[in-house]
Amino acid sequence: MSVLSYSKLSSVNVHDVDFAGRLKISAILRYFQNLATAHAEQLGIGFASMQARELVWVLNRVCAEIVAQPQPEEQLNTVTFPLKPNAVDAVRDYYLYGADGRLLVKGTSKWCVLDAKTHAIRRVAPLFDFPPEAYMQQSAIAGGCATIQKTDAAIAYASTVRVTDLDRNSHVNNARYGDMIVDACSKEWMENHAVANFSVHYMSELQCGNEYAVCCTPDKRYFEGRSGNTEIFRASVGWREYGV
């Protein structure tokens, strides 16, 4: 049996890049999300199928390394592979390649399944009835998404969840957090730094009307989102020097 995989051709759109033409964190998260969604549908464990079973996929962690930047409007070959799932979580890897085959971005994510009514964690393994050889054996990111330790951070800005932030589950879409992170950085900072890698841990959901604050450390390597006393997300970002 061949390794389970799904690939899709995509183009780099204007809204996928920042003022310097670099892929946004949120765009990378959307590429990953679209791949995972399409492959889950193909495997019979997509949104509608899970909804019929009163189950829902929840993204826990995602991380990525940016190897190179694409050209404007370049066509990308985007690929995803699931790894063999554990009892209660599923790991999925992603690769974004340029039109010439060069690797641009690689990443991995960890998902769990919840009961749609009680939010209790359900077993993932029964959803993947495939032999061991069907799974990719090597992770895109060595060690996977490492735990992000909580760090003292100051409030960078506060905001309120708007209706356009929501996805079909009626909470803030996971890709939106990429923009929240970068919005905690000044334009001057982004003119002199480019994202080399990032990791996001999703801890609680945000819904329409919720007020939240995004905090970060002075070196812009640690970020967190809070809504009142509830921690919404933690993120870490690695930077490389850059000149616009």
Side-chain angles (χ1 to χ4, degrees):
M1 181 178 182
S2 59
V3 173
L4 294 169
S5 67
Y6 178 86
S7 61
K8 179 181 180 180
L9 294 178
S10 300
S11 295
V12 179
N13 296 313
V14 173
H15 60 263
D16 291 333
V17 299
D18 66 9
F19 61 86
R22 303 167 299 197
L23 277 178
K24 297 178 182 178
I25 293 177
S26 58
I28 293 171
L29 293 175
R30 279 194 299 272
Y31 286 128
F32 289 0
Q33 178 179 249
N34 290 341
L35 283 167
T37 300
H39 198 202
E41 292 289 349
Q42 188 181 80
L43 295 174
I45 50 175
F47 181 81
S49 176
M50 296 291 279
Q51 191 176 48
R53 304 182 210 185
E54 298 186 340
L55 300 173
V56 60
W57 283 108
V58 175
L59 178 61
N60 286 337
R61 298 182 178 186
V62 61
C63 57
E65 295 179 8
I66 300 173
V67 179
Q69 290 290 340
Q71 298 299 313
E73 299 183 5
E74 181 174 2
Q75 189 172 68
L76 307 182
N77 181 27
T78 63
V79 186
T80 185
F81 301 91
L83 278 66
K84 185 173 177 57
N86 298 313
V88 295
D89 56 48
V91 177
R92 177 175 288 279
D93 285 357
Y94 313 88
Y95 297 87
L96 308 184
Y97 296 96
D100 59 0
R102 72 194 188 286
L103 177 63
L104 301 176
V105 179
K106 59 181 179 177
T108 191
S109 61
K110 182 178 288 188
W111 300 73
C112 70
V113 171
L114 299 184
D115 184 292
K117 291 183 177 179
T118 67
H119 288 189
I121 296 176
R122 299 304 186 198
R123 286 174 52 83
V124 169
L127 298 173
F128 290 86
D129 187 22
F130 302 100
E133 61 270 20
Y135 301 100
M136 180 64 71
Q137 301 301 310
Q138 184 175 351
S139 177
I141 305 294
C145 296
T147 299
I148 301 173
Q149 298 297 332
K150 186 171 177 59
T151 304
D152 289 337
I155 294 177
Y157 70 92
S159 189
T160 302
V161 176
R162 309 297 182 187
V163 68
T164 53
D165 294 321
L166 306 179
D167 61 16
R168 62 184 173 181
N169 292 312
S170 292
H171 56 61
V172 173
N173 184 265
N174 79 81
R176 178 71 183 91
Y177 291 93
D179 289 334
M180 290 182 186
I181 292 164
V182 175
D183 282 344
C185 304
S186 67
K187 185 171 186 289
E188 181 181 11
W189 176 272
M190 295 302 297
E191 286 174 343
N192 293 286
H193 300 83
V195 176
N197 56 75
F198 65 87
S199 181
V200 185
H201 292 187
Y202 301 94
M203 307 177 79
S204 300
E205 64 182 25
L206 282 173
Q207 297 181 334
C208 195
N210 287 165
E211 296 179 345
Y212 65 91
V214 177
C215 311
C216 65
T217 51
D219 62 3
K220 304 295 189 291
R221 291 186 175 274
Y222 173 83
F223 300 80
E224 67 180 37
R226 306 173 188 161
S227 182
N229 294 322
T230 302
E231 193 170 8
I232 304 301
F233 72 88
R234 291 181 194 172
S236 63
V237 179
W239 303 91
R240 59 171 63 96
E241 292 186 358
Y242 184 86
V244 176

